[in-house]
Amino acid sequence: MEVLLASKSPRRRQLLALIFDEFRSVTSDFNESTVKEQNPEELVKRLSYCKAKAVFGQRDQLVIGADTVVVSPENKVFGIPPDESAAYEMLQTLSGKKHRVMTGVTLLYQGEAVTFCSKTDVYFRPLEEEEIRDYIRSGEPFDKAGGYGIQGKAAVFVEKIDGDFYNVMGLPVTDLYMAVQRLVRQK
């Protein structure tokens, strides 16, 4: 069975390597802006499906698509910040509050599609303005949903989490592993 990851994310590749010794990473050409779903959970599930479908080619492949967003306490969806101003706004909004990270995952295998959403609550301590600006200057926020990477310099912002740490990085390892086991075992 060939395993394809429909993602260019280096973090997702790193995490998928915890499950599979061999896989290929293929960038999906799916235009995410075409999905207009308002519900964050349905949004990440739909985007993960569309990404997986865009790279699916053969019945004997296992294709994995994923999409992660950060949902603010006000239920605003934060993707990847396009610029410094957006990154600042996101981090300021999350400062001192609990927010939710949602990752939608889709598996396509032998004519079956399995889609699910993993959720993790993340609690930020109150952040000083200069801390936020220093973090933005590091360049880390600009390829990460919500404008931060829990596995990087933003680790010092996090007081605690409730849920899967790896989900916050962009791929819920245990949920994915169990879904793959169920899907492949039934075939």
Side-chain angles (χ1 to χ4, degrees):
M1 166 179 70
E2 179 184 28
V3 178
L4 297 180
L5 174 64
S7 177
K8 64 180 179 181
S9 165
R11 287 162 305 283
R12 286 197 182 111
R13 288 194 305 264
Q14 175 189 12
L15 295 175
L16 193 60
L18 298 173
I19 300 173
F20 294 101
D21 292 331
E22 293 182 26
F23 63 91
R24 284 191 307 128
S25 179
V26 180
T27 303
S28 168
D29 62 357
F30 175 73
N31 180 356
E32 294 182 35
S33 67
T34 62
V35 175
K36 302 297 183 197
E37 179 63 53
Q38 296 298 311
N39 177 291
E41 181 174 345
E42 294 306 314
L43 173 68
V44 293
K45 288 165 61 175
R46 181 79 182 140
L47 288 171
S48 73
Y49 176 82
C50 291
K51 289 177 182 181
K53 192 74 171 157
V55 303
F56 185 77
Q58 299 173 8
R59 192 168 167 79
D60 62 338
Q61 292 174 330
L62 170 62
V63 178
I64 302 165
D67 192 79
T68 302
V69 297
V70 168
V71 182
S72 77
E74 299 80 23
N75 210 37
K76 185 173 181 186
V77 174
F78 293 153
I80 296 171
D83 55 35
E84 289 183 14
S85 175
Y88 183 86
E89 181 185 332
M90 288 177 189
L91 293 168
Q92 182 62 43
T93 300
L94 302 177
S95 175
K97 298 176 187 154
K98 174 182 93 166
H99 61 275
R100 181 163 280 176
V101 177
M102 295 185 179
T103 301
V105 178
T106 294
L107 308 174
L108 300 178
Y109 181 65
Q110 293 188 354
E112 295 289 325
V114 173
T115 301
F116 62 91
C117 178
S118 293
K119 302 170 190 168
T120 303
D121 289 332
V122 180
Y123 298 77
F124 268 23
R125 65 174 175 77
L127 306 177
E128 300 291 329
E129 181 177 339
E130 196 54 34
E131 287 180 296
I132 295 172
R133 298 221 182 273
D134 286 345
Y135 183 65
I136 291 169
R137 281 191 286 274
S138 78
E140 263 190 27
F142 301 109
D143 68 342
K144 296 167 183 71
Y148 76 92
I150 194 170
Q151 74 283 4
K153 295 179 185 300
V156 299
F157 299 165
V158 179
E159 289 182 327
K160 68 178 182 174
I161 69 168
D162 183 13
D164 184 344
F165 174 82
Y166 297 117
N167 185 50
V168 183
M169 287 178 62
L171 201 63
V173 173
T174 300
D175 289 347
L176 174 58
Y177 175 80
M178 297 306 295
V180 168
Q181 293 304 307
R182 284 189 299 272
L183 182 61
V184 172
R185 201 175 308 134
Q186 80 180 14
K187 291 293 177 183

